[in-house]
């Protein structure tokens, strides 16, 4: 069965797996036993808003295509780090159809999870073990949080975390992205959304005056590769002193993480090489690499440093203009 | 159960493991379904109203059908291709309301209310788009399988770029970004850059479409039909059940439930009563159904009980004390697949170890003595180098469509490098007359050695077609392709080298090859061929493992051989303080390489390279050099037919064009001989019924075909001359290169060909002057030459993140006369880039302790993309090879042998650390440079 609800209410009332762009689901549904009914959001109204509220808060409809968000000029001016993370993930042909919520709610790319041969042993497929832990985990976590050692796939989730972003869920309303993605200890899930719940929008609080941001992804090729490590940095620099800092990291744990020790180290410092080096080193505090992922710690340090340097080199971000100034982007691919 | 086989039992499935003899509880053969047929009831279909290439269309699709599937199957628009099926390669790209999207993951239902443009819709009203002309002119393609995706994407990019910037040339970074969702396994990236930049700059806005590559137009328009595009009336779809276990015994197989599924037509047991599973991915049963979804469901319904055992997956695991044996019995060993292109030599076995093969040594004792002396004086260089398994990853997977027009004749459409050999082998296997089997392979989405022999896909399709009484299509999924489609065997290379007081080289080396269940992979011939005068003690050892069979891969053994040898030589030069080129020159008698020394010495980046480790910054540059040497082969039995008649000039042979340019080479040869335009020559290949042509492997296509083609043209000219003399009553007629000269002037050959009655001649490949190095074995002759390369690579290492990037490369090749300089350059660039991809990115990884594939898609199995392409300089020296008729040695393989070692040497030059293990992943590099 497949249904194409036209309203949010109808969508919520329909039983089955929600499908947005389908770019993640399509592949997963080819695995044995992962089919079932579909609720396709193709015709569902109310998922494509894009506007700044009076206080500068940005609301991005859940169904917005990733490409449109990454290339949006206003978003790039106000949230450059976010726009870079969004605009650089996957490939152009995927971003053109994949949605913001679909990205947040995609499931892990762990190669054991995705292998038909793994069967249902894997935690995330309803089993009771993690094949990667004792197996080949070259691209897995370096912050071992206990059970499953896969890394969370969502670059947008990682970016939202750096912005203390929120998601609007129907029913239930706003909740923080860290609530949505959980703390990484629930080995059987990649997020805490329950059946019947629907994400309707992603919400970013306004940036601060004097904010600089940058995104960096460590990969082995030039482009189009899942990150080994990815980092988004926000620095608020006032009168030459760092007043606030947020550093989020992806590719390191079953959930995106904040490097809070690094953040604390930066406060009150001048944005210089010494402060950045110390902060980058501190990003591995709390890490617990697996036998094959020790190298990722070095990538964490390098990527945080890289993102800090890039952020500092830039002009501060543009503060959002008040109320609805942002035009709705032409929905080329919707 | 009814056994309906004939022939099938006569051999084991090539590519799958040969199987032990213990009988299964049931006797399993083939079975035809008696379940009710017809389309499955009750499945929900969704109506989709869309417009494709400007035409309003209604599709009926399943909820999970991809847009790609719907368009290809229902509208018969097969231009856009299924490459990976998970968004990574871009072969499936179509425009949705003008924006390129990956359609393999796009639900077909999302096409509702949208405008779709496929590659077939890019040309408007018969006029090619400027990007299409650009790809043709700049040769931005080889096999052409990725090309539709690139064209669809580039067309949108050029449109956007022109709207924003006018006719201005974008830089490479901009193009790389725009095309970052596309992969080309042939690595035609250089030409693609030129094409897209040129189209943006307006260089292809006007004028006729021109191409050196003879079949370029078909490839840029989506008209080229590959095996995966073949659709026959009543065609069924096959899927196989692959073992999830690396090592197991099958206790029972029960397919009753599978056969009862409506739409399933028949099943074939590939175990033939045997029970041993020797590698994950091994095909156990295959079945055919009315569509792919039902076939997949049916495979899932086959019940198999396994007795799962511990596999030995790597060289150390298989060599360990008490390792599980891959072939516990002598009999099984005999059926081990052959990983090489040549015949298998008899060798001794000890557990999982076969060999050593020592006969390529030279003055063994002397080599060992010299090494001992050098060890004593501390001047020996020794180490263990390793290389990872490299999957062929042709963008068109292994594919076959088989049907039986009558009970004793067979037609198989096959994605193969060997139409003729496959037809012969099919005839043997199925007990048919040779002329009753036709193998067709019009367009092939590349091979690289992985499609050189008759393999299981052809046999499965053929067998099922017979059982079901209908045409059967069998195409591997990307996951399956990466698992059993073939790979360059991984190796462990223990090598010691020394230079004595007289400046002479000595080498003692052992190669352990892991070709999985296959044997016969060799490295020692390549070690022997370079610096052939040096004393060498060389051993080749097979270590069989519970992994899929390795296959020949472009320059088999070469990249591995030189990865170790050429790094050791570099280190020796460094330790001795000798110039690495001058030192090699002393040992190098190869005439084909002599002219390249001057060329290399003239390269500034090489001449002015810094001392190893001199660069202390974060980004460190280094330059490295390495040599490669390859055989020069030909197929002496090659024939080429040339005809004139109502279709103009037609040249044909049972060869195939795998993207290497066979069609172009033949057209150019005929054009040159007869003074016609190459585009006016009709080339027919890819059909086993034509006169015998060579397998496209071993770099022998050009050196086999061109001489035969010239002989045919000469014969044709004789006939034309005779005919002209009489028919046109020419006085004082003499044949010249341009045509027939007579008292009244000259009649060009082209004119005579147009007016003569239909003629047909066959040319045979003449022998080399002075004969061959060895009498032909298996239809292949070693010519009395070896080809030569010099490769220089400049890399940049990011010491913060361990990332290595190739910045610039210089490839110098002595391969004789080039029949098509543009395509030769494309081949060389592709071979170099593939080797860089091997060195930096590619690695097959299997689940430890279990053996199934983890790098099962193109996200985890990493191929070089547009953005990874360095600046390339390619130099050919065209002299030499005097004894080969037409003087062309092959070049498909020589170009790919030296880059890994050159990069290894560049790494040493950049950071002072010498890498031993491939690929150079960031974690390896970080570990190396941190010490
Ligand atoms: C080659 C490749 C590379 C990639 N690289 C990256 C990368 O680097 N970083 C990255 O982050 N991603 C990457 N991706 C993943 C890609 O971004 C996701 O496939 C995509 O974002 C999923 O979006 P979708 O709309 O297609 O989701 P779908 O496939 O439709 O859905 C995904 C999941 O989200 C759920 N869902 C969707 N919308 C809602 C909603 N509104 N409410 C509740 N549940 C919902 C679905 O039920 C499903 O479980 C890559 C993908 C590919 C193919
Ligand atoms: S087939 Fe769609 S991206 Fe490879
Ligand atoms: S031409 Fe690109 S894959 Fe062959």
């Amino acid at each position: 069965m497949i249904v194409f609800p036209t309203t949010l209410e109808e969508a919520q009332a329909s039983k089955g797996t929600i499908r947005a762009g389908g770019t993640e689901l399509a592949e997963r549904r080819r695995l044995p036993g992962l089919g079932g009914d579909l609720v396709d959001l193709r015709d569902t109204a109310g998922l494509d808003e894009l506007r700044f509220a009076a206080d500068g808060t940005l609301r991005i409809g859940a169904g917005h295509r990733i490409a449109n968000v990454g290339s949006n000029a206003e978003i790039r001016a106000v949230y450059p780090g976010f726009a870079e993370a969004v605009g650089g993930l996957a490939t152009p042909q995927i971003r053109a159809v994949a949605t913001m919520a679909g990205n947040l709610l995609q499931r892990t790319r762990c190669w054991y999870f995705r292998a038909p041969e793994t069967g249902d042993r894997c935690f995330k497929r309803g089993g009771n073990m993690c094949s990667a832990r004792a197996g080949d985990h070259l691209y897995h976590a370096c912050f071992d949080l206990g059970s499953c050692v896969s890394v969370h796939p969502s670059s947008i989730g990682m970016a939202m975390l750096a912005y203390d972003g929120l998601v609007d869920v129907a029913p239930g309303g706003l909740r923080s992205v860290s609530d949505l993605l959980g703390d990484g200890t629930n080995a059987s899930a990649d997020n805490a959304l329950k059946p019947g719940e629907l994400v309707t929008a992603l919400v970013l609080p306004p940036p601060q005056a004097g904010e600089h941001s940058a995104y960096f992804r460590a990969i082995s090729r030039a482009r189009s590769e899942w990150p080994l490590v990815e980092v988004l940095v926000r620095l608020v620099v006032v009168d030459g002193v760092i007043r606030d800092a947020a550093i989020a990291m992806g590719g390191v744990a079953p959930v995106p993480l904040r490097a809070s020790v690094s953040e604390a180290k930066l406060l009150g410092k001048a944005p210089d090489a010494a402060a950045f080096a110390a902060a980058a080193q501190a990003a591995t505090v709390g890490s617990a690499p697996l036998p094959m992922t020790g190298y990722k710690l070095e990538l964490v340090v390098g990527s945080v440093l890289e993102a800090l340097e890039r952020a500092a080199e830039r002009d501060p971000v543009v503060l959002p203009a008040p109320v609805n100034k942002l035009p709705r982007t032409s929905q080329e691919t919707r | 159960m009814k056994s309906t086989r004939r022939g099938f039992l006569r051999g084991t499935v090539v590519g799958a493991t040969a199987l032990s003899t213990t009988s299964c509880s049931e006797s399993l053969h083939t079975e035809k379904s008696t379940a009710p047929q017809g389309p499955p009831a009750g499945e929900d279909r969704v109506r989709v109203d869309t417009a494709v290439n400007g035409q309003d269309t209604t599709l009926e699709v399943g909820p999970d059908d991809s847009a790609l599937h719907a368009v290809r199957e229902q509208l018969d628009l097969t231009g856009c291709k299924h490459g990976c099926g998970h968004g990574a390669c871009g072969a499936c790209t179509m425009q949705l309301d003008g924006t390129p999207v990956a359609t393999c993951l796009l639900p077909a239902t999302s096409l509702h209310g949208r405008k779709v443009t496929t590659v077939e819709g890019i040309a408007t009203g018969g006029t090619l788009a400027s990007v299409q002309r650009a790809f043709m002119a700049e040769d931005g393609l080889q096999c052409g399988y990725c090309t539709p995706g690139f064209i669809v994407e580039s067309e949108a990019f050029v449109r956007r770029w022109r709207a924003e910037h006018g006719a201005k040339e974008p830089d490479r970074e901009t193009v790389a970004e725009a095309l970052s969702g596309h992969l080309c396994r042939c690595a035609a990236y250089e030409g693609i850059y030129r094409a897209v930049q040129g189209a943006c700059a307006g260089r292809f806005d006007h004028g006729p479409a021109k191409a050196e590559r003879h079949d370029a137009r078909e490839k840029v328009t989506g008209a080229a039909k590959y095996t995966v595009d073949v659709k026959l009336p009543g065609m069924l779809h096959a899927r196989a059940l692959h073992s999830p276990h690396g090592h197991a015994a099958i206790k029972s197989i029960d397919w009753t439930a599978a056969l009862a599924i409506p739409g399933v037509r028949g099943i074939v047991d590939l175990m033939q009563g045997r029970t041993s599973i020797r590698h994950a991915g091994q095909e156990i049963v295959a079945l055919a159904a009315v569509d792919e979804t039902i076939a997949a469901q049916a495979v899932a319904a086959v019940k198999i009980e396994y007795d799962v055992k511990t596999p030995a997956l790597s060289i150390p695991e298989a060599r360990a004390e008490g390792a599980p044996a891959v072939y516990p019995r002598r009999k099984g060993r005999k059926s081990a697949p052959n990983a090489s292109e040549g015949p298998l030599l008899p060798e001794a076995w000890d557990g999982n170890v076969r060999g050593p093969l020592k006969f390529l040594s030279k003055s063994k004792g002397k080599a060992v003595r010299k090494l001992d002396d050098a060890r004593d004086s501390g001047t020996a260089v020794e180490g263990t180098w390793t290389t990872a398994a490299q999957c062929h990853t042709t963008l068109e997977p292994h594919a076959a469509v088989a049907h039986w027009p009558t009970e004793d004749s067979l037609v198989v459409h096959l994605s193969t490098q060997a139409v003729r050999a496959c037809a012969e082998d099919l005839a043997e296997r199925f007990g048919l007359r040779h002329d009753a089997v036709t193998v067709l392979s019009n367009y092939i989405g590349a091979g690289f050695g992985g499609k050189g022999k008759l393999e299981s896909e052809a046999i499965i399709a053929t067998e099922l077609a017979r059982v079901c009484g209908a045409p059967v299509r069998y195409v591997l999924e990307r996951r399956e392709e990466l698992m059993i489609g073939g790979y360059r065997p991984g190796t462990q290379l223990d090598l010691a080298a020394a230079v004595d007081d007289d400046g002479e080289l000595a080498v003692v080396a052992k190669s352990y090859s892991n070709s999985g269940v296959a044997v016969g992979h060799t490295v020692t011939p390549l070690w022997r061929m370079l610096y052939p005068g040096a004393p060498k003690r060389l051993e080749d050892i097979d270590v069989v493992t519970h992994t899929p069979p390795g296959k020949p891969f472009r320059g088999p053994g070469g990249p591995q051989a030189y990865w170790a040898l050429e790094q050791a030589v570099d280190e020796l030069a460094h330790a001795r303080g000798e110039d690495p080129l001058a030192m090699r020159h002393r040992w190098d008698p190869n005439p084909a390489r002599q002219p390249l020394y001057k060329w290399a010495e003239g390269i500034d980046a090489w001449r002015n390279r810094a001392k190893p480790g001199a660069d202390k910054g974060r980004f460190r540059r280094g330059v490295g050099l390495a040599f490669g040497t390859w055989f020069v082969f030909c197929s002496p039995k090659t024939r080429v037919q040339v005809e004139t008649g109502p279709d103009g000039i037609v040249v044909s042979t049972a060869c195939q064009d795998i993207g290497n340019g066979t069609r172009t080479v033949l057209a150019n040869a005929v054009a040159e001989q007869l003074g016609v335009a190459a585009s006016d020559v009709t080339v027919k290949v890819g059909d086993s019924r034509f006169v015998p042509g060579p397998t496209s492997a071993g770099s022998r296509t050009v050196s086999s075909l061109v001489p035969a083609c010239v002989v045919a043209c000469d014969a044709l000219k004789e006939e034309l001359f005779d005919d002209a003399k009489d028919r046109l009553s020419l006085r004082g007629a003499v044949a010249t290169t341009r045509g027939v000269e007579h008292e009244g002037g000259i009649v060009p050959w082209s004119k005579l060909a147009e007016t003569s009655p239909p003629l047909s001649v066959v040319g045979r490949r003449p022998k080399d002057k002075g004969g061959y190095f060895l009498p032909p074995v298996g239809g292949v002759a070693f010519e009395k030459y070896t080809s030569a390369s010099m490769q220089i690579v400049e890399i940049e290492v990011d010491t913060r993140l361990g990332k290595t990037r190739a910045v610039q490369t210089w490839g110098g090749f002595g391969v004789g006369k080039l029949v098509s300089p543009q395509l030769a350059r494309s081949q060389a660039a592709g071979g170099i880039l593939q080797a860089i991809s091997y060195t930096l990115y590619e690695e097959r990884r299997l689940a430890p302790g279990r053996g199934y594939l983890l790098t099962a898609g193109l996200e985890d199995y990493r191929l070089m993309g547009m953005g990874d392409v360095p600046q390339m300089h390619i130099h050919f020296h065209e002299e030499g090879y005097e004894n080969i008729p037409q003087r062309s040695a092959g070049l498909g393989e020589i170009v790919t042998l030296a880059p890994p070692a050159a990069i290894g040497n560049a790494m040493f030059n950049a950071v002072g650390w010498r890498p031993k293990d491939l690929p150079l992943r960031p974690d390896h590099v970080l570990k190396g440079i941190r010490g």
Side-chain angles (χ1 to χ4, degrees), chain B residues 8-19:
Chain B
F8 188 72
L9 285 171
R10 285 217 267 130
T12 54
V13 178
V14 182
T17 313
L19 313 144

Side-chain angles (χ1 to χ4, degrees), chain B residues 141-146 184-186 395:
Chain B
L141 58 131
Q142 291 187 27
C143 78
Y145 197 81
C146 69
C184 173
R185 184 41 154 169
C186 301
L395 269 205

Side-chain angles (χ1 to χ4, degrees), chain A residues 1-2 19 29-30 42 93 114 118 121 136 139 221-224 226 292 298 306 309 333, chain B residues 44 63-64 85 109 114 173 177 180-181 479 618 800 803 845 850 852 859 862-863 868 930:
Chain A
M1 255 287 276
I2 180 166
R19 182 164 80 187
R29 280 172 69 86
R30 294 178 201 147
R42 183 187 73 191
Q93 306 104 285
R114 301 263 163 180
T118 304
R121 284 189 302 272
D136 185 340
Y139 300 124
R221 291 170 296 177
R223 289 187 178 77
S224 299
W226 284 92
M292 300 168 96
E298 210 166 332
E306 188 76 36
E309 289 172 354
T333 56
Chain B
D44 50 348
D64 282 300
T109 56
R114 313 291 296 270
E173 280 297 285
E177 178 62 38
S180 61
R479 171 179 288 276
R618 168 180 169 188
R800 182 184 280 181
K803 183 162 161 173
R845 296 181 74 91
R850 304 178 54 86
Y852 60 80
E859 289 160 74
R862 295 171 177 167
L863 300 178
D868 305 306
R930 301 285 186 265

Side-chain angles (χ1 to χ4, degrees), chain A residues 163-187:
Chain A
Y163 285 87
D164 297 311
L166 306 168
V167 283
D168 205 348
V169 178
L174 290 178
R175 73 169 82 156
S176 72
V177 74
S178 45
D179 276 357
L180 178 78
L181 300 182
D183 64 3
T185 55
N186 180 2

Side-chain angles (χ1 to χ4, degrees), chain B residues 336-421:
Chain B
N338 181 352
S340 80
E341 276 163 351
L344 284 181
L345 302 173
E347 287 180 52
W349 286 74
D350 178 14
N352 290 324
V353 176
R354 176 176 176 271
L357 187 78
K358 295 187 198 157
F359 81 100
L360 286 151
S361 303
K362 178 190 166 88
S363 314
K364 264 187 279 191
K366 196 164 158 196
V368 171
R369 272 197 312 280
K370 287 192 174 216
L371 253 302
D372 284 345
D373 292 349
R375 281 192 189 104
D376 289 345
S377 64
T379 55
V381 163
E382 46 194 322
T384 296
W385 281 262
T386 69
T387 65
Q390 179 192 25
C391 299
H392 293 75
T393 331
T394 52
L395 269 205
E396 183 188 33
H398 284 73
V401 179
H403 74 112
W404 295 78
T406 64
E407 230 181 56
D408 39 24
S409 65
L410 172 66
V411 178
V412 182
H413 299 261
L414 189 61
S415 186
T416 181
Q417 300 171 233
V419 282
R420 187 176 160 82

Side-chain angles (χ1 to χ4, degrees), chain B residues 68 81-92 102-104:
Chain B
L68 178 66
K81 298 287 187 273
H82 187 285
C84 64
H86 48 250
C89 76
C92 63
T103 59
C104 61

Side-chain angles (χ1 to χ4, degrees), chain A residues 56-99:
Chain A
T57 301
L58 174 65
R59 246 184 105 83
I60 307 171
H64 244 282
R65 307 293 154 173
I66 292 173
N68 292 349
V69 175
S71 63
N72 183 292
E74 275 87 348
I75 295 179
R76 286 164 66 144
V78 178
Y79 304 100
F82 183 75
E84 277 177 300
V86 172
L89 66 83
T91 72
Q93 306 104 285
I94 294 293
R95 296 196 294 270
V97 285
T99 65

